[in-house]
Amino acid sequence: MLVIAPAFADPVSANQATFRAVMDAFARPGSVRALTAAELAPPPPLSRGAAAVALALLDYETPVWLDTRLAAERSIADWLRFHTGAPLIVEPGRAAFAFIDDAARMPPFEAFSLGSEEYPDRSTTLVIRVDGFGTTAPLTLTGPGIAGRREFSFAPAPADFPARLIANRALFPRGVDLLFVADEAAAALPRSTRLIERA
Amino acid sequence: MNAPAYNFAYLDEQTKRMIRRAILKGIAIPGYQVPFASREMPMPYGWGTGGVQVTAAILGPGDTLKVIDQGADDTTNAVSIRQLFAKTAGVCTTTHTAEATVIQTRHRIPETKLGEDQVLVYQVPIPEPLRFLEPRETETRQMHAHADYGLMHVKLYEDIARHGHISTSYAYPVKVDGRYVMDPSPTPKFDNPKMNDCAALQLFGAGREKRIYAIPPHTTVVSLDFEDHPFEASRTQASCELCGADDSYLDEVITDDRGGRMFVCSDTDYCEARREARP
Amino acid sequence: MYVAVKGGERAIKNAHLLLAAERRGDPAVPELSLAQISQQLAHAVDRVMTEGSLYDRELAALAIKQAHGDLIEAIFLARAYRTTLPRFGASEPVDTAQMEIRRRISATFKDLPGGQVLGPTFDYTHRLLDPALAEGSALAEPAQAEGGDAGPMPRVTDLLAQDGLIEPSPMADPDAPVGDLTREPLDFPAERDLRLQNLARGDEGFLLALGYSTQRGYGRTHPFAGEIRLGEVEVEFFAEEVGFAVPLGRVTLTECQMVNQFQGSKTEAPRFTRGYGLAFGHCERKAMSMALVDRSLRARELGEELQAPAQDEEFVLAHSDNVQATGFVEHLKLPHYVDFQAELVLVRRMREEVAAQDSGQAPMQEAAE
């Protein structure tokens, strides 16, 4: 028999709390926000944090793409479909949200929807699972949401991540938005963030 | 009959998710107007439906809400919106700017400097800064796409040629983070400098026009001007008759039919706090 | 004086009490029941259901009662409730060819399969106020058709289509998503499904005036009322869980198919084109106006010159919604002290400058910070 792990017992306030954490993360790029997701036990390797984000933001209006690791585990698709009703798609360029478990090997950003000059909002938001924040050499960020500069790092990261971030910013106002989630924390790099390169 | 029942903060969860997604895109693209599927609200279009939808989508049980209209907490529409949320969301409400976590406003930015943990939600009637220069959405969308704001500069320049200065006194256009020209909602231009490098997140909701946009904290917001005609944040040169403030935006109150008038702070919380602090 | 602008909370409470008392009127007069409104003000209920996009006679009657008979206010109440309802999907397309007909007229053919059925209509009444109605009077029993079943009533446009005289009805792609402007904000240019949805929800008076303008030469389309039909149709919903369409019930619809002239081109033989109108309940004026405006808005697709307001998609679709329109017009009642003050400062400054120029003095500077 198919058993699907439950979502939040009180979805209205849990989803609001998750959203506010994500909103604050977007509004203050590179700052790490607490997520409350201890109550969740989604099928692995889907993290509790990613599951909370899925519950807060997905529904039948948001096509979702899963990376190879997440797509390999059928119970994840079942869990997402059951709780959110979101259509799971194989074409990343049509995804409103892309869930990535293997951060070090995430596809190039151009594989996703980058929006158009007229409708830059019609772009993919990447939800990337990470082990943690602030444990590796930091990037120095500036831009909207940052008073002066802010240092930020996440692990694991692809080796070419700084170059990707610079290329993404160069597309502005087009581009993808990045949300990094650990089990109980989230941070974001929206497309507006600029990277300060080391001298 | 199926007796109507309503959710926390009135909006259903699916609507909130849709608005929340639009807010995130708005924050990611500062100053860009994100189209969203604005819903009918239990109040008329043009009376704050956009602001109310944004507030309903972000509000949680731990929030403290302040609602102002024309700077005042006690104007009827502010009272009505505050009551809607007190009733449907059971949140704490306040009139004190510093105590609020979410402030919904129509036409003003509070005089008290906003902090990092606050969100300012603006009610917006016409979100498109170019709308009165070009009525067609298809055209203005192209102008934003190509950052082609020549029309706006021509308009402002014609003002200077005709009047000697720019004759826009409220809803004065700004440029956000060097890219999008944005309508700040019909706030007096006196308030424009408060938007720049503001510590609070600023969210804008236009219900009838179905647009949401945002200014993240600490974002550069510049009022459009010309080198030889720099922007001025003007106010009436007078002091508040009640608290004596000479730095606040003033309402003019007609006191008789012989030309008598007095000036009082438009921000009632600012004015009351100043009066209470007096020995 | 300043005190006068305070006390908003008490003012609102008292205004609501007064409003409720006005709604009820003289308590000596019996109160209206929802059944009375639904039965005896049926056209008002139909309009609220159509423009409120909510098929529920009882809730529409409640909205009319609560709105003191102000139909736009009632439409607003219905919409504000509808928008909070959970959504399960879209119904299967209804088949109006299978409608159980109560009224069916064609202005293009004197007789046709199924015949002309006049049904309940004001059309041929003499508009003379009837004092007998003021008191209420016994009614004569309406006549019943002999033989009962009139047989099938094919749609006039289907008859024309057999000879290729009218453009084919666009084939719906069953897999294409059903557009819904209450779920996705409209962008331009808009597809016909969204345009029709917008018009179906649009204000009857606005569409009436626009449709009328096309008859008076502003984007003329040479319309004929091919057919107007009123009756009941089945609504079905395809339930994924059980794998087949389940009946939800029956709704009353008014459908209007306009048949319009089209010149054709060098490569295309002339043929008739379509304008379509559909409304909940008995809303004939609305369905006809909608069909006229639908046809006008197809100007771009048909390669016609765009010159009239009714052909201007952005203008029509952006201004058809009476709930949006009334809200924004009436919002002018809200205080605008702050903006007006900003304008006062500016106008005074400009007047001072003019006065100073006249008297050759420098203007007084206002504070700038």
Side-chain angles (χ1 to χ4, degrees), chain B residues 164-185:
Chain B
H165 44 76
I166 292 168
S167 65
T168 299
S169 61
Y170 62 91
Y172 190 103
V174 295
K175 190 173 248 189
V176 181
D177 193 36
R179 176 57 176 81
Y180 283 101
V181 166
M182 190 198 90
D183 180 278
S185 89

Side-chain angles (χ1 to χ4, degrees), chain A:
Chain A
M1 199 185 98
L2 186 64
V3 177
I4 291 176
F8 287 112
D10 176 6
V12 173
S13 50
N15 291 338
Q16 189 273 339
T18 305
F19 166 71
R20 275 292 274 275
V22 172
M23 182 179 88
D24 287 341
F26 266 70
R28 294 174 169 82
S31 71
V32 179
R33 305 274 145 180
L35 285 178
T36 309
E39 186 187 334
L40 298 177
L46 187 65
S47 72
R48 292 203 303 277
V53 168
L55 292 172
L57 294 176
L58 306 189
D59 56 36
Y60 74 88
E61 294 176 324
T62 53
V64 171
W65 179 86
L66 302 179
D67 78 350
T68 319
R69 270 199 210 163
L70 294 172
E73 193 53 59
R74 234 203 91 175
S75 56
I76 291 176
D78 290 339
W79 190 90
L80 287 171
R81 274 203 201 95
F82 180 81
H83 287 300
T84 72
L88 299 178
I89 58 168
V90 292
E91 169 56 55
R94 286 182 45 234
F97 289 88
F99 281 72
I100 291 161
D101 188 70
D102 192 356
R105 274 183 289 277
M106 62 176 125
F109 294 160
E110 310 86 78
F112 300 100
S113 172
L114 302 170
S116 61
E117 299 286 349
E118 289 80 10
Y119 292 95
D121 55 303
R122 295 178 182 174
S123 62
T124 309
T125 302
L126 275 55
V127 182
I128 302 159
R129 188 193 63 78
V130 298
D131 296 333
F133 300 104
T135 55
T136 52
L139 303 168
T140 305
L141 310 174
T142 188
I146 299 170
R149 298 169 171 212
R150 182 175 286 132
E151 302 217 311
F152 172 71
S153 75
F154 66 96
D160 62 345
F161 187 74
R164 286 179 181 228
L165 206 57
I166 290 164
N168 192 49
R169 170 69 219 193
L171 292 172
F172 192 89
R174 299 168 69 227
V176 294
D177 302 309
L178 312 176
L179 179 65
F180 302 92
V181 286
D183 270 334
E184 304 270 316
L189 295 180
R191 71 193 77 175
S192 59
T193 303
R194 301 177 185 89
L195 187 61
I196 296 181
E197 290 175 81
R198 275 150 216 279

Side-chain angles (χ1 to χ4, degrees), chain B residues 6-272:
Chain B
Y6 298 103
N7 191 22
F8 175 85
Y10 176 76
L11 292 178
D12 58 284
E13 288 301 294
Q14 193 193 342
T15 298
K16 286 186 200 165
R17 272 194 301 274
M18 177 272 296
I19 295 170
R20 287 168 180 169
R21 293 192 294 259
I23 290 172
L24 295 182
K25 288 296 174 195
I27 294 171
I29 316 167
Y32 166 74
Q33 304 161 50
V34 182
F36 83 111
S38 172
R39 306 292 203 241
E40 278 86 4
M41 296 299 290
M43 60 184 42
Y45 284 110
W47 298 55
T49 55
V52 167
Q53 288 181 79
V54 169
T55 298
I58 67 173
L59 208 60
D63 277 311
T64 302
L65 177 69
K66 171 181 165 85
V67 183
I68 52 173
D69 185 349
Q70 312 296 303
D73 298 272
D74 200 39
T75 34
T76 45
N77 203 44
V79 171
S80 163
I81 290 171
R82 193 162 58 241
Q83 282 178 348
L84 175 77
F85 284 114
K87 187 169 160 185
T88 60
V91 293
C92 297
T93 60
T94 184
T95 59
H96 298 310
T97 301
E99 283 173 13
T101 55
V102 176
I103 302 170
Q104 181 169 328
T105 181
R106 176 168 174 266
H107 294 196
R108 278 306 315 275
I109 299 175
E111 307 289 1
T112 307
K113 203 169 180 197
L114 300 177
E116 298 282 346
D117 298 321
Q118 294 183 303
V119 182
L120 183 60
V121 179
Y122 294 76
Q123 302 172 199
V124 182
I126 304 275
E128 177 50 71
L130 306 167
R131 183 59 69 232
F132 296 113
L133 308 174
E134 168 53 63
R136 281 173 198 285
E137 165 72 14
T138 34
E139 296 292 325
T140 52
R141 183 162 291 282
Q142 287 303 317
M143 294 178 191
H144 286 295
H146 302 116
D148 173 8
Y149 296 121
L151 199 59
M152 178 66 87
H153 285 102
V154 167
K155 188 260 170 198
L156 297 177
Y157 200 80
E158 281 176 354
D159 270 6
I160 293 170
R162 187 170 308 144
H163 307 296
H165 44 76
I166 292 168
S167 65
T168 299
S169 61
Y170 62 91
Y172 190 103
V174 295
K175 190 173 248 189
V176 181
D177 193 36
R179 176 57 176 81
Y180 283 101
V181 166
M182 190 198 90
D183 180 278
S185 89
T187 48
K189 67 178 185 175
F190 172 79
D191 283 337
N192 274 24
K194 296 176 186 162
M195 307 177 86
N196 182 47
D197 194 28
C198 175
L201 170 63
Q202 302 174 74
L203 298 176
F204 299 78
R208 192 178 39 75
E209 299 281 341
K210 301 180 170 55
R211 297 289 185 272
I212 283 173
Y213 51 104
I215 303 176
H218 305 293
T219 298
T220 307
V221 179
V222 178
S223 301
L224 299 185
D225 62 0
F226 296 94
E227 239 168 58
D228 48 346
H229 287 274
F231 172 82
E232 288 176 11
S234 53
R235 67 186 282 275
T236 304
Q237 193 173 33
S239 302
C240 171
E241 295 254 0
L242 300 175
C243 76
D246 58 4
D247 58 353
S248 65
Y249 194 76
L250 300 173
D251 276 343
E252 181 168 342
V253 181
I254 311 288
T255 52
D256 56 39
D257 57 3
R258 299 178 306 276
R261 59 170 63 93
M262 64 189 256
F263 292 94
V264 295
C265 288
S266 135
D267 184 335
T268 48
D269 174 56
Y270 182 75
C271 190
E272 278 161 20

Side-chain angles (χ1 to χ4, degrees), chain B residues 1-2 4 6 10 12 14-15 35-37 39-47 69-70 74-77 79-80 82-83 106-108 125-126 136-138 163 165-167 169-170 186-188 190 208 210 232-237 242 246-247 249-255 261 263-266 268 272, chain C residues 1-2 5-9 11-12 16 34 56 58-59 62 76 79-87 181-189 201 312 314-315 321 323-346 348-350 353 364-369:
Chain B
M1 182 187 304
N2 302 315
Y6 298 103
Y10 176 76
D12 58 284
Q14 193 193 342
T15 298
F36 83 111
R39 306 292 203 241
E40 278 86 4
M41 296 299 290
M43 60 184 42
Y45 284 110
W47 298 55
D69 185 349
Q70 312 296 303
D74 200 39
T75 34
T76 45
N77 203 44
V79 171
S80 163
R82 193 162 58 241
Q83 282 178 348
R106 176 168 174 266
H107 294 196
R108 278 306 315 275
I126 304 275
R136 281 173 198 285
E137 165 72 14
T138 34
H163 307 296
H165 44 76
I166 292 168
S167 65
S169 61
Y170 62 91
T187 48
F190 172 79
R208 192 178 39 75
K210 301 180 170 55
E232 288 176 11
S234 53
R235 67 186 282 275
T236 304
Q237 193 173 33
L242 300 175
D246 58 4
D247 58 353
Y249 194 76
L250 300 173
D251 276 343
E252 181 168 342
V253 181
I254 311 288
T255 52
R261 59 170 63 93
F263 292 94
V264 295
C265 288
S266 135
T268 48
E272 278 161 20
Chain C
M1 281 303 286
Y2 185 56
V5 299
K6 306 282 284 181
E9 200 147 345
I12 287 185
H16 290 175
L34 298 191
D56 187 321
E58 202 174 14
L59 285 178
L62 173 62
F76 182 11
R79 292 260 196 99
Y81 175 58
R82 175 196 188 273
T83 196
T84 67
L85 296 175
R87 190 180 171 77
L181 56 82
T182 70
R183 300 282 139 176
E184 284 287 334
L186 210 52
D187 55 38
F188 300 105
R201 291 159 57 90
D312 186 329
E314 271 204 61
F315 176 78
D321 191 299
V323 178
Q324 290 175 9
T326 198
F328 202 48
V329 167
E330 294 195 54
H331 109 286
L332 294 172
K333 292 183 281 193
L334 287 178
H336 287 78
Y337 330 131
V338 160
D339 301 342
F340 189 68
Q341 188 61 32
E343 289 287 80
L344 268 180
V345 169
L346 183 70
R348 280 180 182 143
R349 173 173 167 181
M350 288 160 70
E353 285 167 359
M364 203 176 79
Q365 282 296 310
E366 58 153 338
E369 47 195 79

Side-chain angles (χ1 to χ4, degrees), chain C residues 105-110 116 224-228:
Chain C
I105 54 163
S106 170
T108 50
F109 296 102
K110 185 173 181 184
Q116 305 257 15
F224 298 93
E227 180 173 331
I228 293 160

